[in-house]
Amino acid sequence: MKFFLDSFSLHKEQTDCVIVGVFKPCRLTRSANNLDEYSNGYISQLINQGDINGEIGQSLLLYDVPNIIAKRLLLIGCGDENNFNSRSIIKITKNIIKILNKRSIKHIIFSLTELNFYKNNIYWFIRKIISALKKEFFKINTFLKKDVYLNSISFNIIDKNLISLAKVALTHSLAIDLGLTAAKKLSNLPPNICNPLYLSLQAEKLSKKYNNIDVTTIDINQMKSLGMHAYLAVSRGSENKPYMSVVQYSGKNVINKKIIILIGKGLTFDSGGISIKPSQNMHEMKYDMCGAAAVYGTLIMAAELNLPLNIIGILAGCENMPGGSAFRPGDILTTMSGKTVEVLNTDAEGRLVLCDVLKYIERFSPDIVIDVATLTGACVVALGNDVTGLFSNNEDLVNDLKKASQQTNDKVWRLPLFKEYEKDINSNVADFSNVGNGKAGAITAACFLSQFTKKYHWAHLDIAGTAWESGVNKGSTGRPVELLSQFLLNMSHYTQC
Ligand code: BES
Ligand code: MG
Ligand code: ZN
């Protein structure tokens, strides 16, 4: 798919289809008005006849419009002009793609960029529309198993001065989409293919593709010498050895000296171990590596855009299986930090893997650490499938993540880490137990992690409810690649808003 940005004389362009908008009630956009004049009122006549009034979801495909060179003209209902937002863009995009893909339309000129969106900001209009288009194409390819005929989209930017800003938005959008798609594809692989070794090999490939990325792989022996006994315990029941990838992205002309670390839970399969899960839906635990995949995707975005930052991504690959050498409920583990943990449930394995990673990364003296994990079923109970749980020990980091979340509509909601929760993970035989008392499970899990993150600003994203969708169109959502990408773009002072 090719994208172009230019100022077009709409009536003169040779293309398969020109797309212009109509607002409710019966109000032509600037581009529509322009074509109406060239066609001697052809469009307004159709509106007066009642063929379209601008309601969102409406459309009218026209052929042989007088004095218009394009093969077709698509009028698209855009709804209420004063209420035009990113949800309107998504609805309009779905509608347009449905109409276009029924016909073998290859090239279109999209003249909706003058719509009143986010204070008329062309940057955000382009970002939102490309994100919506790419998501539609992904659905057509993967769920409908169909090809997309469309192969080139030109955006009409009426004000020539805005073309360069629109180009920045296009570059950002395409890099984010590349990362998002890579994350989805990796997460969707079956667990017999995507095991910890496979995950680490994907990470190593990044260093071959991008010269601003270096990768170190920590294997089981190195984990032993580092004393990562909680991480190692989780992997003990599996034939597949654990691998932890350390992906170092070093930007040029770094403007923000902060060391940012992104950690992804990479359980390529979580059976629950000896505390085995019920078999219904157990297959979905192949998605227990979606945190690692999101970190992988976000690094691809950073490397593509050459962000002026220093980022370290950790993919914590591991498999949780029952077996003769598996760890058990009752075991007491000594974590890399020296703190001990009483295992009361081997299915609460994510926090065991992560607590050793959170200690390991102290060696990089990080300023900001964000971990991304499908950590608790309790988070799904608390927030459902549309909102990611956010926990943090730093207000500025929370505000920055919330801002990026609002910009991308990749929703998060903060849950508390009050001291009161700490008693829930008390143990009388170790420093902590690995589970709480069954209440506030998302918080007690985060509270457990927070015991290992005191040396830096830290946020934890529990993506258990948001990382994938179930059912006939099952698959990874790639979340929170968009949120993390926006967070990094903001740190690079790149965003135009
Ligand atoms: N990977 C799961 C969390 C999960 C469950 C994510 C369902 C998405 C959907 C995690 O390792 C886990 O099993 N957590 C347990 C913790 C419990 C034993 C305290 C859970 O949530 O049931
Ligand atoms: Mg588990
Ligand atoms: Zn898990």
Side-chain angles (χ1 to χ4, degrees):
M1 181 73 58
K2 291 199 182 94
F3 294 98
F4 301 94
L5 296 152
D6 216 335
S7 273
F8 295 98
S9 308
L10 288 181
H11 66 291
K12 283 200 283 200
E13 304 297 335
Q14 244 170 356
T15 177
D16 295 332
C17 189
V18 170
I19 303 174
V20 295
V22 183
F23 282 117
K24 206 174 75 176
C26 305
R27 227 189 55 68
L28 298 184
T29 57
R30 198 170 140 192
S31 302
N33 225 338
N34 175 271
L35 291 179
D36 190 44
E37 280 168 21
Y38 276 105
S39 64
N40 305 323
Y42 187 82
I43 300 173
S44 40
Q45 181 206 326
L46 291 171
I47 289 194
N48 292 340
Q49 271 173 215
D51 285 276
I52 183 167
N53 67 18
E55 203 98 39
I56 212 149
Q58 284 186 338
S59 62
L60 200 58
L61 187 59
L62 308 171
Y63 295 81
D64 303 319
V65 179
N67 308 323
I68 309 286
I69 305 273
K71 285 188 196 143
R72 305 171 185 84
L73 176 63
L74 177 61
L75 300 182
I76 202 89
C78 296
D80 183 355
E81 182 167 13
N82 299 319
N83 252 333
F84 192 79
N85 55 29
S86 44
R87 280 173 62 190
S88 327
I89 293 193
I90 293 169
K91 282 189 194 156
I92 289 175
T93 308
K94 283 190 176 162
N95 200 5
I96 292 174
I97 297 303
K98 211 165 75 193
I99 295 163
L100 297 183
N101 221 43
K102 278 189 203 146
R103 300 162 177 88
S104 30
I105 292 177
K106 285 207 164 64
H107 176 250
I108 60 172
I109 297 180
F110 210 95
S111 192
L112 294 171
T113 38
E114 74 267 35
L115 300 188
N116 187 16
F117 177 70
Y118 213 91
K119 300 177 206 133
N120 279 325
N121 190 314
I122 192 78
Y123 175 87
W124 283 107
F125 184 88
I126 296 289
R127 282 280 306 271
K128 297 286 171 186
I129 195 99
I130 304 263
S131 151
L133 283 166
K134 286 284 187 178
K135 280 177 190 158
E136 281 312 297
F137 297 154
F138 190 86
K139 275 190 208 155
I140 293 173
N141 289 329
T142 48
F143 302 140
L144 305 177
K145 299 202 169 38
K146 277 201 210 146
D147 291 332
V148 177
Y149 292 115
L150 202 62
N151 64 21
S152 107
I153 300 180
S154 299
F155 293 98
N156 183 28
I157 312 291
I158 295 177
D159 181 349
K160 278 199 173 86
N161 297 320
L162 294 176
I163 292 179
S164 58
L165 182 54
K167 283 192 173 154
V168 173
L170 176 62
T171 311
H172 289 180
S173 301
L174 295 180
I176 294 172
D177 181 66
L178 207 68
L180 187 70
T181 307
K184 284 188 201 174
K185 285 192 174 160
L186 188 57
S187 312
N188 284 341
L189 291 171
N192 56 332
I193 303 275
C194 182
N195 55 33
L197 174 63
Y198 183 93
L199 200 60
S200 76
L201 295 175
Q202 299 317 298
E204 282 177 13
K205 276 193 193 163
L206 292 179
S207 67
K208 300 210 172 61
K209 175 143 193 233
Y210 299 105
N211 53 22
N212 46 16
I213 286 187
D214 282 316
V215 179
T216 317
T217 309
I218 309 290
D219 66 12
I220 188 164
N221 294 323
Q222 287 160 291
M223 286 183 193
K224 280 181 189 156
S225 22
L226 286 161
M228 304 178 87
H229 299 298
Y231 193 147
L232 285 164
V234 175
S235 76
R236 274 209 327 253
S238 173
E239 294 284 321
N240 292 313
K241 300 288 166 247
Y243 289 93
M244 177 172 80
S245 307
V246 181
V247 186
Q248 272 184 287
Y249 165 78
S250 319
K252 286 200 199 87
N253 308 321
V254 168
I255 57 160
N256 196 326
K257 295 260 180 313
K258 288 191 172 138
I259 307 271
I260 307 155
I261 302 199
L262 305 176
I263 301 172
K265 172 178 173 182
L267 265 287
T268 59
F269 190 70
D270 175 16
S271 68
I274 298 297
S275 315
I276 198 160
K277 288 180 179 293
S279 52
Q280 197 187 15
N281 292 333
M282 202 205 265
H283 64 97
E284 292 195 339
M285 282 300 120
K286 72 167 190 174
Y287 295 117
D288 214 17
M289 40 63 73
C290 282
V295 169
Y296 168 81
T298 304
L299 284 157
I300 291 179
M301 177 288 312
E304 283 284 324
L305 291 180
N306 265 303
L307 293 188
L309 303 172
N310 288 319
I311 311 164
I312 301 172
I314 312 271
L315 314 188
C318 192
E319 187 177 48
N320 187 19
M321 295 292 259
S325 42
F327 77 131
R328 337 156 179 73
D331 284 0
I332 296 177
L333 312 172
T334 303
T335 65
M336 187 176 167
S337 70
K339 300 258 189 230
T340 55
V341 181
E342 179 189 14
V343 177
L344 291 180
N345 190 318
T346 63
D347 198 12
E349 85 298 338
R351 64 198 79 181
L352 296 174
V353 168
L354 291 176
C355 75
D356 276 347
V357 180
L358 290 165
K359 178 68 194 174
Y360 172 82
I361 49 113
E362 279 181 10
R363 69 188 51 218
F364 301 113
S365 310
D367 297 286
I368 295 174
V369 177
I370 304 172
D371 77 73
V372 190
T374 46
L375 203 66
T376 64
C379 193
V380 195
V381 175
L383 298 175
N385 292 114
D386 295 301
V387 182
T388 294
L390 164 66
F391 302 82
S392 179
N393 61 11
N394 181 267
E395 300 306 306
D396 289 339
L397 182 52
V398 167
N399 290 334
D400 290 345
L401 284 166
K402 279 189 181 169
K403 181 179 176 194
S405 163
Q406 277 156 8
Q407 287 166 313
T408 52
N409 203 28
D410 195 342
K411 290 198 166 68
V412 297
W413 192 259
R414 189 183 189 182
L415 293 171
L417 281 173
F418 298 130
K419 278 251 171 273
E420 281 79 350
Y421 292 104
E422 288 181 7
K423 65 179 178 305
D424 294 346
I425 50 168
N426 276 350
S427 163
N428 66 344
V429 292
D431 291 315
F432 312 111
S433 105
N434 82 326
V435 292
N437 60 9
K439 297 176 192 162
I443 301 177
T444 50
C447 178
F448 180 94
L449 297 180
S450 75
Q451 306 306 313
F452 300 85
T453 62
K454 302 210 162 129
K455 296 215 172 123
Y456 41 74
H457 295 165
W458 160 77
H460 158 59
L461 295 170
D462 192 332
I463 56 165
T466 53
W468 74 89
E469 274 163 35
S470 311
V472 272
N473 283 348
K474 62 178 182 283
S476 159
T477 59
R479 287 179 68 180
V481 170
E482 288 178 291
L483 165 68
L484 293 174
S485 299
Q486 191 57 45
F487 173 82
L488 296 174
L489 281 171
N490 293 347
M491 289 203 71
S492 317
H493 306 300
Y494 268 176
T495 311
Q496 321 285 323
C497 67

